[in-house]
Amino acid sequence: MNSSEEIAVSGMSAGRSAMRMGPAELVQAAAMARRFYLEGKSKIQIAEEFGVSRFKVARVLETALERDLVRIEIRVPAELDAERSDALRARYGLRHAVVVESPAEAEETPDPENLGEVAADLLGELVNEGDVLGLAWGRSTIHMAAALDRLPPCTVVQLTGVYDAGTAERGSVEAVRRAAQVSGGDAHPIYAPMLLPDAATASALRNQTGIARAFEHFDKVTVACVSIGSWEPGISTVHDMLTEEERAHYASLGVAAEMSAHLFDAEGRRVGRDLGERCITVKADQLRRVPEVVAIAGGQRKGPAIDAVLRSGLVTSLVTDTSAADYLMTAGPTPKSAFNRSDPDGV
């Protein structure tokens, strides 16, 4: 995950332009470059060692770069696309954007498993000791949790119910337990479906002891990990749980994306808010107050949905793949910064 820098410091073997420097200048410049780039010494320390001003040190280092005395190579693992990552971060005003190479054999597959592996490494960087980590239901978050191998001590809480309570042990409940096991912290799973038949049933479940205990942690979450779904079969859990009539109703409202049972139109505005009354999930305004919300989503088919959720202001960081990133870089007008996390509806 972390980029590495290779600094090659050469002396008399520098290019022809560098040879215009005298041998004493070359030797001194090479020595200063070694101190600065390889030994990590400051310009002030180097100036004191060589008996010159720090301004001269700065000039020598600049000249060493200009004349190819020093060559700096930035290298990241082959599966990461640093250029797309930086461009995507800048376009959406995200805190972090990590773009992974799409699998060549499965261009149309949403959320390739390698996204979860990279997201696991990212969480290892973002989570600090004492944090409260929230995990929403989603295939990508389940893959992420399975790939976790390091987390500082933290509390882990489930942010949504599960797609099917009968598979909880193999889904988000297990993801929460896995993350807590890696971190050595407490786990607060939710043994309940994400979507209930009506608001009354959902309300009754929220008041059950175990679920209520998890809900008490929602306002304490410091890092959240969420998935994004397109409004189509097989790519949105909520879509698949609804009846045909309900799907048609929400589609008529312009639903383009779903995240943690919250629905968004193409501009990032929340629609169909009544659905939330039937769901076991973290509220959108609670997510908006979480300092770091990492979305894991990829695949060309999910491009419009990812764009919609990013425009909502709920997400601060994204792990995606090259096929989705290529769509996002040309998707409509430049969106507002994720650091402006006000609701697009003004509510």
Side-chain angles (χ1 to χ4, degrees):
M1 282 278 312
N2 294 327
S3 64
S4 62
E5 297 186 357
E6 180 181 279
I7 298 101
V9 180
S10 57
M12 296 300 291
S13 61
R16 285 181 297 175
S17 60
M19 288 301 293
R20 295 172 187 170
M21 300 172 69
E25 292 176 304
L26 275 171
V27 170
Q28 184 183 69
M32 288 183 175
R34 287 193 184 91
R35 303 293 193 279
F36 185 74
Y37 291 107
L38 300 181
E39 299 174 16
K41 291 189 175 181
S42 70
K43 293 174 184 176
I44 293 177
Q45 290 175 314
I46 297 170
E48 290 176 350
E49 178 182 348
F50 287 87
V52 298
S53 71
R54 62 184 176 89
F55 300 105
K56 179 173 181 179
V57 173
R59 286 195 301 272
V60 170
L61 293 174
E62 183 178 352
T63 300
L65 283 171
E66 290 175 350
R67 300 191 177 186
D68 201 29
L69 191 66
V70 172
R71 295 185 299 276
I72 300 176
E73 181 182 354
I74 308 298
R75 298 190 298 176
V76 297
E79 69 270 17
L80 299 184
D81 192 311
E83 185 175 350
R84 281 186 175 92
S85 298
D86 188 55
L88 196 60
R89 179 200 57 76
R91 173 171 168 78
Y92 285 90
L94 296 168
R95 187 171 291 117
H96 303 283
V98 182
V99 178
V100 182
E101 287 290 339
S102 300
E105 69 283 0
E107 286 291 335
E108 297 302 316
T109 301
D111 302 339
E113 289 192 24
N114 61 340
L115 294 186
E117 297 169 3
V118 173
D121 284 344
L122 180 61
L123 281 190
E125 294 181 52
L126 298 181
V127 176
N128 296 307
E129 184 173 352
D131 275 349
V132 177
L133 172 63
L135 301 181
W137 193 96
R139 297 178 187 88
S140 57
T141 53
I142 292 171
H143 292 154
M144 179 276 301
L148 281 172
D149 60 9
R150 64 185 178 100
L151 272 180
C154 65
T155 298
V156 186
V157 59
Q158 193 170 323
L159 296 179
T160 65
V162 298
Y163 176 48
D164 180 351
T167 63
E169 293 301 315
R170 301 190 300 274
S172 48
V173 169
E174 179 56 32
V176 168
R177 286 177 168 174
R178 167 65 182 168
Q181 179 184 31
V182 172
S183 74
D186 294 332
H188 295 278
I190 294 178
Y191 295 95
M194 181 188 295
L195 180 67
L196 282 303
D198 52 64
T201 304
S203 178
L205 276 177
R206 292 188 199 103
N207 291 323
Q208 288 189 357
T209 303
I211 297 174
R213 188 176 298 116
F215 269 60
E216 289 172 359
H217 284 82
F218 286 179
D219 287 326
K220 304 173 186 176
V221 173
T222 50
V223 179
C225 192
V226 300
S227 297
I228 296 173
S230 302
W231 198 246
E232 56 181 303
I235 310 186
S236 166
T237 300
V238 173
H239 178 282
D240 292 347
M241 287 191 289
L242 295 173
T243 66
E244 287 290 345
E245 182 179 355
E246 290 169 331
R247 293 170 190 165
H249 165 67
Y250 291 116
S252 71
L253 301 179
V255 175
E258 171 261 318
M259 180 183 70
S260 303
H262 301 294
L263 309 181
F264 305 86
D265 68 10
E267 301 301 319
R269 295 182 293 256
R270 287 181 59 216
V271 296
R273 298 189 183 210
D274 60 302
L275 182 65
E277 298 174 5
R278 297 169 49 193
C279 293
I280 303 297
T281 185
V282 62
K283 294 179 181 178
D285 61 347
Q286 289 176 311
L287 272 179
R288 203 177 298 279
R289 292 194 294 270
V290 175
E292 185 73 78
V293 179
V294 180
I296 312 171
Q300 189 172 14
R301 291 173 64 187
K302 275 196 177 182
I306 299 170
D307 177 62
V309 171
L310 292 182
R311 291 175 185 275
S312 75
L314 288 173
V315 170
T316 60
S317 298
L318 174 69
V319 177
T320 190
D321 64 353
T322 51
S323 59
D326 286 345
Y327 173 88
L328 293 170
M329 289 307 300
T330 58
T334 302
K336 71 180 183 181
S337 169
F339 293 109
N340 176 9
R341 302 184 72 188
S342 60
D343 193 320
D345 294 339
V347 178

